């Protein structure tokens, strides 16, 4: 997995990703009707996609929605907060990325329990700008960490990577450009 996973929130961002050196990208907040075109363009440019199931408008983020995305669009991975989606992605041979929010101690403990049962390939930690939590989560879950959310500068990104994150999901083009080719 690359250090930076460019996250597109618009077709303009996606076109920039397609022209970049990055092989793997994410598309956030997309309507289901746009997926066919996105998948076609990604394939034409030799790109691999990760789709955030919880942010696909018009699709339920459950095991059936996961199965549909895996069969129709053949992503390299999916992101979801739902353990049923994580289980189905793993069954389909797709990278399963469990999204985890750092809200408070109770939510953290509940997330640890869910991750222990779901056994995702990666955990995406949000907000990822809290470097000291990266190592704790990595140690507790024995899972590779992707950090995302509120990582606003190249320095923030480097601090999170230095703290043990495998990758960072970001829509910040300055960060994309800084780490391009690294």
């Amino acid at each position: 997995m690359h250090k930076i996973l460019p996250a597109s929130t618009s077709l303009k961002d996606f076109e920039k990703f397609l022209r970049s050196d990055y092989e793997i990208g994410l598309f956030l907040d997309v309507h289901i009707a746009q997926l066919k075109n996105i998948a076609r363009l990604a394939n034409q440019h030799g790109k691999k996609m990760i789709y955030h199931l919880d942010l696909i408008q018009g699709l339920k983020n459950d095991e059936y929605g996961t199965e549909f995305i895996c069969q129709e669009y053949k992503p390299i991975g999916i992101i979801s907060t739902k353990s049923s989606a994580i289980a189905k992605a793993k069954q389909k041979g797709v990278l399963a990325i469990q999204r985890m929010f750092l809200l408070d101690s109770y939510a953290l403990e509940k997330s640890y329990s869910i991750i222990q049962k779901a056994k995702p390939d990666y955990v995406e930690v949000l907000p990822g700008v809290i470097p000291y939590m990266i190592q704790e989560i990595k140690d507790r879950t024995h899972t590779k960490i992707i950090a995302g959310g509120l990582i606003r500068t190249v320095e923030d990104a480097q601090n999170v990577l230095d703290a043990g994150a495998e990758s960072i999901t970001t829509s910040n083009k300055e960060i994309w450009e800084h780490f391009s080719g690294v």
Side-chain angles (χ1 to χ4, degrees):
M1 188 84 64
H2 298 288
K3 287 183 181 186
I4 302 299
L5 298 171
S8 301
T9 57
S10 69
L11 288 175
K12 184 178 176 186
D13 290 349
F14 183 63
E15 289 168 359
K16 184 169 179 85
F17 161 67
L18 293 175
R19 292 188 306 269
S20 76
D21 293 337
Y22 291 103
E23 178 187 11
I24 300 170
L26 288 88
F27 211 108
L28 307 175
D29 199 24
V30 63
H31 189 279
I32 193 167
Q34 295 174 300
L35 284 178
K36 186 178 276 187
N37 188 43
I38 289 167
R40 182 183 56 77
L41 288 169
N43 285 336
Q44 284 177 350
H45 287 84
K47 305 292 185 179
K48 297 176 183 170
M49 295 303 297
I50 297 172
Y51 295 113
H52 192 309
L53 244 60
D54 303 354
L55 298 178
I56 298 175
Q57 299 162 28
L59 180 78
K60 190 168 181 184
N61 59 344
D62 61 7
E63 63 271 17
Y64 302 109
T66 305
E67 186 166 12
F68 173 75
I69 292 298
C70 291
Q71 288 177 347
E72 290 296 313
Y73 302 107
K74 304 196 181 352
I76 190 172
I78 63 101
I79 298 174
S80 182
T81 56
K82 306 282 186 176
S83 54
S84 61
I86 297 301
K88 182 56 78 172
K90 288 178 68 87
Q91 181 185 37
K92 291 290 182 182
V94 171
L95 285 177
I97 304 166
Q98 178 92 38
R99 191 171 239 199
M100 162 186 204
F101 294 98
L102 301 178
L103 301 174
D104 57 27
S105 296
Y106 176 77
L108 184 65
E109 290 303 320
K110 188 169 180 156
S111 291
Y112 285 147
S113 176
I114 292 167
I115 290 163
Q116 184 179 12
K117 290 176 188 158
K119 299 192 183 329
D121 299 304
Y122 291 86
V123 173
E124 183 188 31
V125 177
L126 285 108
V129 75
I130 309 172
Y132 70 89
M133 289 301 299
I134 301 296
Q135 193 61 50
E136 177 184 321
I137 294 165
K138 193 173 178 179
D139 291 344
R140 284 280 302 267
T141 64
H142 306 290
T143 307
K144 296 175 187 172
I145 304 298
I146 297 172
L150 300 177
I151 300 171
R152 295 182 173 156
T153 66
V154 169
E155 183 180 7
D156 288 344
Q158 191 60 58
N159 288 340
V160 169
L161 291 168
D162 291 345
E166 291 275 321
S167 300
I168 294 171
T169 57
T170 182
S171 58
N172 184 316
K173 291 359 147 269
E174 179 186 336
I175 295 172
W176 292 13
E177 290 167 12
H178 178 81
F179 287 93
S180 181
V182 174

